[in-house]
Amino acid sequence: MARAPLRLHQELLLLALHDTKGTLAFGQMQHVGLGGGIFSELMLEERLRIVTEKRGRREKSFVEVANPARTGEDVLDLALERLREAKRRANPRDTVLRIARIKRLRHHVGLELVRRGVLRATEDEILLFFKRKVYPTLDPGPERALIERIRAALEGPDAGPP
């Protein structure tokens, strides 16, 4: 049975996680990337729209929720709810940051990938006292396919052996 394709934010998390340890391999600002991926998915689904208003000589762009209906995906619904409940509209950059500040965002995305059978959720101990959630790879296929797509895009159709 074929799986639905991964979302942008899910793919970003897969690339950021160390395959066997399940911890971040890189990405101090990975939450901003996740926010940008979620923002992009909501724009592609036409759940958000950007409106431009002229104020004097300047134009300002704001993000508005165009369709607040549930998407059926926890992280996207959480982001829509956060944006819908915001007291003020924000420009696209600040909207991405607003999404990025969702509490435990990486864990929400990780759990989506656990439900899809790509990662598994476990706990790791640090210094015998502290515990943290880690997400080692269970099925490396989706990440390998993503890396191949990226490689093909970078090399282009005319790339061949040197």
Side-chain angles (χ1 to χ4, degrees), residues 98-109:
R98 193 173 275 173
I99 294 169
R101 286 191 298 266
I102 291 173
K103 198 174 210 165
R104 300 177 46 82
L105 181 61
R106 178 170 48 102
H107 299 290
H108 288 294
V109 177

Side-chain angles (χ1 to χ4, degrees), residues 81-110:
E81 182 180 328
R82 164 76 52 101
L83 298 177
R84 193 178 64 244
E85 292 175 352
K87 289 180 175 56
R88 298 176 58 186
R89 296 182 302 170
N91 62 35
R93 177 186 160 275
D94 290 341
T95 300
V96 168
L97 294 176
R98 193 173 275 173
I99 294 169
R101 286 191 298 266
I102 291 173
K103 198 174 210 165
R104 300 177 46 82
L105 181 61
R106 178 170 48 102
H107 299 290
H108 288 294
V109 177

Side-chain angles (χ1 to χ4, degrees), residues 71-134:
T71 65
E73 292 192 31
D74 293 344
V75 173
L76 297 180
D77 290 339
L78 190 59
L80 271 176
E81 182 180 328
R82 164 76 52 101
L83 298 177
R84 193 178 64 244
E85 292 175 352
K87 289 180 175 56
R88 298 176 58 186
R89 296 182 302 170
N91 62 35
R93 177 186 160 275
D94 290 341
T95 300
V96 168
L97 294 176
R98 193 173 275 173
I99 294 169
R101 286 191 298 266
I102 291 173
K103 198 174 210 165
R104 300 177 46 82
L105 181 61
R106 178 170 48 102
H107 299 290
H108 288 294
V109 177
L111 288 175
E112 286 182 340
L113 291 166
V114 168
R115 283 191 289 274
R116 294 180 70 137
V118 178
L119 301 177
R120 70 184 166 88
T122 61
E123 279 193 350
D124 187 22
E125 279 189 0
I126 305 170
L127 301 174
L128 301 173
F129 295 107
F130 305 103
K131 292 185 179 191
R132 66 179 174 180
K133 285 274 189 200
V134 293

